[in-house]
Amino acid sequence: MIKRLLIAIILLNFAFAKAQSEKFTLSGTISEVSNGETMIGVNILIPELSAGTSSNEYGFYSITLPAGTYQVVYSFIGYKNILKEVVLNSDTQINIEMADSDEQLDAIVIKADVERLSTKSPQMSTNALSIETIKKIPVVLGETDIVKSLVLLPGVTNAGEGASGFNVRGGAADQNLVLLDEATLYGSDHLFGFFSVFNPDAIKDLKLYKGGIPARYGGRVSSVLDIYQRDGNKNKLSATGGVGLVASRLLLEGPIEKGKSSFLIGGRSSYAHLFLPLFDIDNVAYFYDLNAKLSFTLNDNNRLYVSSYFGRDVFKVNNLFGNTFGNSFVNARWNHTFNNKWFANTSLIYSDYNYGLELDFVEFEFSSGITNLNAKYDLTHYVNDKTKMRYGINSIYYEFDPGLITPTTATSPINERQLTKKYAWENGVYVDGEFEITDNININAGLRLSTFNRLGQNNINIYENNQPIVFNEDLQIYESVDPIETTNASRGTTLKTFANLEPRFSIAYSLDNNTSFKASYQRINQYIHLISNTNAPTPFDLYAPSGTFIEPQKGDQIAAGFFKNIGNYSLETEVFYKTVDNRLDYIDGADLIANDAVEQILLKGEARAYGLELLFRKNKGKLQGWIAYTLSRSEQRTPGRTPEETGINNGEWYNAAWDKTHDLTITGNYELNNKWSFGANFTLQTGQPITYPNGQYEFDGLFIPTYEARNSSRLPIVHRLDLSATYIPKPDKTKGWQGSWVFSIYNAYNRRNAASISFAQNEDTNRNEATRLSIFGLVPAVTYNFKF
């Protein structure tokens, strides 16, 4: 009898242990109840286990847990929390629809777990702003702008007022990978930096990676700006738009088949140029763009998306010259869920960037561009509650068109000429994993193998001793060399191959639920180069592939940080050090216009950047905002190739054109009541580096200036205060026409910040004078936004 009882107890213990060891997977898709839009970054929390996960870029989530009954919390800022009791005795799929609400569940533990997930994550050096936050930030001319909002964060600057692009942690503007629905954009601005190309009404989510960049990204050594467009309303027809002083926008969305498919189409255009003739001004400057997207839910496991963008800028000056430029892309994506642990995304993307210049006074026009076709496949494996793996491959085919020169009149002295087109093929394969090692240690480790093949083309230049540039020791200058021979190679020929391993690693050590230390390392290779002799990207810039004479840029970055949640506040501090090899520089007197042999003007240098970043946020309450401060240094040098050569700036380190030692921004938004809210941001920055003349000499009746060391002086300190007020006449109205007014003042105390300083001789006094150019003084604006 006792023997049988012992056997029964053993069997029961074994069965209980087996039940406890059994694990099952909870998965599903999360969307908004009002429009069916999938939601990115929703927290899925299991308080009993202090475990959780978040939805991916397509709203899918998966987490594996021991068998049992759990209270599962679905939480996202600005949405009503959802609490579900889940009996997990088999693999379970639960799709969730979330609704807007200010209400929160009473369970205090939820708040702690949300914060713990953010501090536990090994991902660092990442900034994410909601579209709602961006729309509350006052900007120039009253137009909501994503890029200008990002420069209010630590480690992100721009090249000055009215300048295109942005700089991240001391990197150049062309070292940023800008993605819109996975498609690469080669220009992120309209009207030379006054507006960004991103229509805020069409954007669902954005994230900027400044460091610790995951292995699924490659091709740029500085940062990744990853932006996703909204899918479109699957439940009802609706519209959103705005009318401003210089531009307006309208976006329409609605179901194709209710609950299963949708469309989205939005357009923007500026029209300030229409008023210029009233002031007898012949200049023209305007932009327009179009966003479109189709979304289809084929079944629970398959979704299809087709998205596109088209944008153009037009700029003309007094019938002397004209300029057009812009991006466009089409992307077809297929999401497939194999089961509750495997999720795949397949994309086929065509994109291009083209730019043209028309010079009426010399009777010719110039057009050039870059196009690519990108096929990519990404696979995510939710192994268990402690491990998530990602695998992927992508292949990009490039065509670089340096330019086509065409006469515009029969009497033009210019002959038609096509500069030599160049071709390349870039490939990448990666594996990336997120691992919870212990309750306190989480890591993200990945490895990417990138290859780049420079393909055959016409007119391949061959130089003596393989040197397209020589150093004239008598004159102490670099000079271009004419080729000794020119050959052709078929497109199927590989002229040069590069292959590089790119390790990525980040780790987080959590002291408690609200405090953690993080560190990261990354290596990235950049095979595409922006050929420009200006400080910021302009439509006159050219892109060139790596090859025989141009090596890929190789960037290494290490970073470490401390992260702390303190009630309604959070503190992020990071230090970083970054180096870039094979950074291009130019010989003195370099001419880029219609240059069919850019290797004759390029020298290979290096760059480095290092700094400290602080971000202190207030995340809840009527008053929200942040204080961001960056102390950094960004430098370049181009030493001589031999002891006899001087290099650039005598081979010494010099400040990069976008270096700003101090960068302080204070951003706040105060909600007075449900009708009125107010925003403000204050910016204080070190002036940009500049090279001043330090003397002159007379030669044959001409005064020739001499200059100090490159970028050894600076423009005056930049500071500015921007203000805004938002008024909602009927805040409780949820149906029909809903409108709001945004009043803004850019540069409220009319600070005349210097965009540049130029030197010239006064014709009346014959004395040299410095002239400061300021782009903006005080700029008031008003915008009316609406939706229905």
Side-chain angles (χ1 to χ4, degrees):
M1 183 69 178
I2 295 176
K3 183 178 180 180
R4 290 179 179 177
L5 183 59
L6 289 173
I7 292 174
I9 291 173
I10 292 172
L11 290 174
L12 286 172
N13 286 335
F14 176 78
F16 179 77
K18 182 179 180 182
Q20 288 295 100
S21 65
E22 281 188 311
K23 291 188 175 183
F24 300 103
T25 299
L26 173 66
S27 64
T29 300
I30 302 176
S31 59
E32 294 185 48
V33 66
S34 61
N35 54 28
E37 188 86 27
T38 57
M39 299 178 64
I40 302 172
V42 175
N43 293 308
I44 299 91
L45 310 169
I46 299 88
E48 298 99 312
L49 301 178
S50 294
T53 187
S54 59
S55 57
N56 69 4
E57 298 90 339
Y58 309 100
F60 179 79
Y61 74 95
S62 176
I63 185 169
T64 301
L65 304 167
T69 300
Y70 302 103
Q71 301 295 316
V72 181
V73 180
Y74 298 83
S75 174
F76 193 74
I77 294 175
Y79 288 77
K80 183 178 180 180
N81 291 336
I82 295 176
L83 177 65
K84 276 193 172 292
E85 183 176 272
V86 177
V87 179
L88 201 63
N89 52 20
S90 62
D91 291 340
T92 302
Q93 180 176 338
I94 298 180
N95 296 326
I96 296 294
E97 293 183 330
M98 303 191 72
D100 294 331
S101 177
D102 294 329
E103 300 176 19
Q104 298 295 326
L105 294 179
D106 295 331
I108 302 300
V109 69
I110 296 172
K111 175 176 173 292
D113 282 333
V114 172
E115 293 174 347
R116 183 167 189 264
L117 282 175
S118 64
T119 55
K120 282 183 63 178
S121 170
Q123 183 63 61
M124 63 180 299
S125 306
T126 302
N127 293 131
L129 290 177
S130 69
I131 293 299
E132 289 73 20
T133 298
I134 291 174
K135 288 181 177 181
K136 295 175 181 177
I137 296 173
V139 293
V140 64
L141 300 176
E143 294 298 313
T144 298
D145 194 289
I146 287 176
V147 172
K148 286 183 171 55
S149 300
L150 290 175
V151 300
L152 299 175
L153 297 169
V156 188
T157 62
N158 61 15
E161 289 184 329
S164 301
F166 58 97
N167 306 98
V168 177
R169 287 187 169 175
D174 71 303
Q175 294 174 338
N176 304 314
L177 177 62
V178 181
L179 301 173
L180 180 59
D181 271 357
E182 301 181 351
T184 301
L185 299 182
Y186 294 92
S188 60
D189 297 277
H190 286 307
L191 296 184
F192 307 105
F194 292 142
F195 303 91
S196 76
V197 300
F198 308 108
N199 184 342
D201 295 333
I203 302 304
K204 173 165 63 174
D205 183 81
L206 66 93
K207 187 174 291 186
L208 175 68
Y209 297 89
K210 301 179 296 185
I213 297 175
R216 63 182 180 273
Y217 300 107
R220 301 294 187 276
V221 297
S222 195
S223 75
V224 176
L225 177 57
D226 197 4
I227 301 178
Y228 283 88
Q229 295 187 118
R230 297 177 54 240
D231 299 336
N233 196 321
K234 290 184 173 66
N235 298 326
K236 64 178 181 179
L237 181 66
S238 62
T240 306
V243 179
L245 294 180
V246 297
S248 292
R249 64 190 192 278
L250 177 65
L251 182 141
L252 298 174
E253 57 183 323
I256 299 174
E257 181 180 357
K258 189 172 183 180
K260 292 186 176 182
S261 57
S262 62
F263 74 90
L264 178 148
I265 183 168
R268 291 190 304 168
S269 180
S270 66
Y271 39 72
H273 67 286
L274 298 178
F275 303 100
L276 295 179
L278 300 177
F279 304 96
D280 197 26
I281 299 175
D282 293 332
N283 299 347
V284 173
Y286 66 91
F287 75 87
Y288 57 92
D289 56 30
L290 177 71
N291 300 77
K293 192 169 185 178
L294 300 175
S295 304
F296 303 90
T297 301
L298 305 180
N299 52 46
D300 287 342
N301 295 324
N302 294 280
R303 288 177 170 82
L304 182 65
Y305 305 90
V306 180
S307 55
S308 64
Y309 168 84
F310 180 85
R312 284 294 179 269
D313 282 70
V314 177
F315 181 64
K316 296 182 179 180
V317 177
N318 292 328
N319 295 319
L320 294 176
F321 72 90
N323 189 209
T324 60
F325 57 95
N327 297 275
S328 61
F329 77 80
V330 177
N331 180 12
R333 287 181 291 151
W334 172 38
N335 290 171
H336 177 65
T337 305
F338 291 96
N339 52 46
N340 49 30
K341 287 180 176 290
W342 290 91
F343 179 89
N345 177 69
T346 306
S347 300
L348 184 62
I349 309 164
Y350 170 84
S351 66
D352 72 33
Y353 179 60
N354 65 75
Y355 38 99
L357 175 66
E358 184 175 349
L359 300 176
D360 293 335
F361 61 95
V362 289
E363 301 176 337
F364 82 90
E365 59 184 15
F366 175 84
S367 63
S368 59
I370 174 175
T371 63
N372 65 62
L373 183 63
N374 182 6
K376 62 192 297 285
Y377 182 77
D378 299 284
L379 184 65
T380 304
H381 182 198
Y382 299 86
V383 182
N384 52 47
D385 58 321
K386 298 182 184 298
T387 304
K388 181 172 76 172
M389 300 296 298
R390 300 186 71 148
Y391 317 90
I393 185 171
N394 76 293
S395 183
I396 309 175
Y397 176 78
Y398 295 96
E399 179 181 301
F400 300 84
D401 183 358
L404 172 64
I405 302 171
T406 307
T408 55
T409 66
T411 59
S412 172
I414 305 298
N415 295 321
E416 182 170 322
R417 179 188 173 200
Q418 171 67 61
L419 302 184
T420 303
K421 293 184 178 181
K422 302 173 178 64
Y423 309 91
W425 185 26
E426 181 177 355
N427 296 282
V429 58
Y430 74 88
V431 58
D432 191 47
E434 298 178 19
F435 310 94
E436 182 179 332
I437 306 303
T438 69
D439 288 342
N440 301 98
I441 300 176
N442 289 263
I443 67 172
N444 185 298
L447 183 65
R448 183 181 184 90
L449 171 63
S450 63
T451 64
F452 190 84
N453 297 320
R454 178 68 177 271
L455 304 178
Q457 64 179 61
N458 295 330
N459 303 322
I460 302 170
N461 293 329
I462 299 176
Y463 300 91
E464 186 176 356
N465 300 321
N466 210 32
Q467 291 288 342
I469 298 175
V470 296
F471 184 72
N472 188 320
E473 294 187 27
D474 295 331
L475 300 177
Q476 293 289 290
I477 61 173
Y478 288 94
E479 297 177 333
S480 301
V481 174
D482 292 330
I484 59 175
E485 184 183 354
T486 301
T487 64
N488 299 324
S490 66
R491 192 83 57 85
T493 304
T494 298
L495 303 178
K496 183 76 173 181
T497 297
F498 301 95
N500 293 285
L501 286 174
E502 304 176 1
R504 319 284 175 87
F505 179 82
S506 57
I507 183 170
Y509 177 73
S510 304
L511 298 180
D512 53 43
N513 288 350
N514 299 301
T515 310
S516 67
F517 291 93
K518 301 183 183 183
S520 67
Y521 166 77
Q522 68 181 36
R523 167 169 285 187
I524 302 178
N525 289 271
Q526 179 171 333
Y527 301 99
I528 306 300
H529 307 263
L530 178 64
I531 308 300
S532 169
N533 55 4
T534 58
N535 294 342
T538 73
F540 307 102
D541 300 328
L542 302 176
Y543 286 88
S546 297
T548 304
F549 303 106
I550 304 177
E551 296 186 38
Q553 299 179 68
K554 182 176 294 184
D556 292 273
Q557 182 181 201
I558 57 173
F562 172 75
F563 303 82
K564 178 74 175 179
N565 291 309
I566 314 165
N568 294 335
Y569 301 87
S570 62
L571 174 67
E572 303 175 19
T573 65
E574 293 191 41
V575 293
F576 67 91
Y577 183 82
K578 176 167 62 177
T579 62
V580 178
D581 294 332
N582 303 324
R583 179 65 185 162
L584 295 181
D585 210 333
Y586 311 91
I587 65 174
D588 292 332
D591 185 7
L592 301 183
I593 298 177
N595 192 327
D596 211 9
V598 293
E599 67 272 10
Q600 297 177 1
I601 59 172
L602 299 176
L603 293 172
K604 182 175 66 174
E606 59 182 325
R608 67 185 181 190
Y610 47 92
L612 165 69
E613 298 173 357
L614 301 174
L615 179 63
F616 182 70
R617 288 178 181 261
K618 186 176 186 296
N619 302 308
K620 296 183 179 180
K622 283 185 171 294
L623 176 64
Q624 298 182 26
W626 64 83
I627 300 173
Y629 172 70
T630 306
L631 172 66
S632 64
R633 191 74 179 268
S634 177
E635 300 172 306
Q636 292 184 221
R637 75 168 176 177
T638 305
R641 298 169 297 181
T642 66
E644 292 75 24
E645 294 186 7
T646 60
I648 301 297
N649 200 51
N650 292 318
E652 301 294 330
W653 288 100
Y654 62 90
N655 294 322
W658 45 85
D659 173 66
K660 295 181 180 179
T661 308
H662 302 281
D663 184 6
L664 171 69
T665 59
I666 303 173
T667 302
N669 184 269
Y670 180 74
E671 185 178 345
L672 179 65
N673 50 46
N674 59 357
K675 286 190 175 183
W676 283 97
S677 63
F678 302 91
N681 56 265
F682 174 75
T683 300
L684 176 67
Q685 296 175 336
T686 301
Q688 289 177 243
I690 190 172
T691 305
Y692 286 144
N694 58 4
Q696 66 180 17
Y697 61 91
E698 185 178 357
F699 176 76
D700 197 20
L702 298 175
F703 290 95
I704 311 299
T706 61
Y707 291 88
E708 62 188 359
R710 182 177 290 197
N711 290 346
S712 57
S713 295
R714 289 186 180 273
L715 295 175
I717 291 175
V718 174
H719 54 87
R720 189 187 73 245
L721 174 67
D722 307 324
L723 303 171
S724 70
T726 301
Y727 173 63
I728 305 175
K730 299 179 179 180
D732 298 325
K733 189 177 182 180
T734 58
K735 295 182 179 180
W737 187 278
Q738 303 166 62
S740 65
W741 293 90
V742 179
F743 308 93
S744 64
I745 300 176
Y746 180 88
N747 198 0
Y749 53 81
N750 198 31
R751 165 71 175 179
R752 306 298 294 186
N753 291 305
S756 66
I757 293 180
S758 58
F759 294 85
Q761 190 178 64
N762 188 302
E763 295 181 357
D764 296 326
T765 64
N766 291 324
R767 299 183 62 181
N768 292 329
E769 293 181 345
T771 303
R772 173 191 293 197
L773 173 65
S774 298
I775 303 296
F776 292 116
L778 184 149
V779 183
V782 59
T783 301
Y784 178 71
N785 296 316
F786 60 87
K787 60 181 179 179
F788 58 87

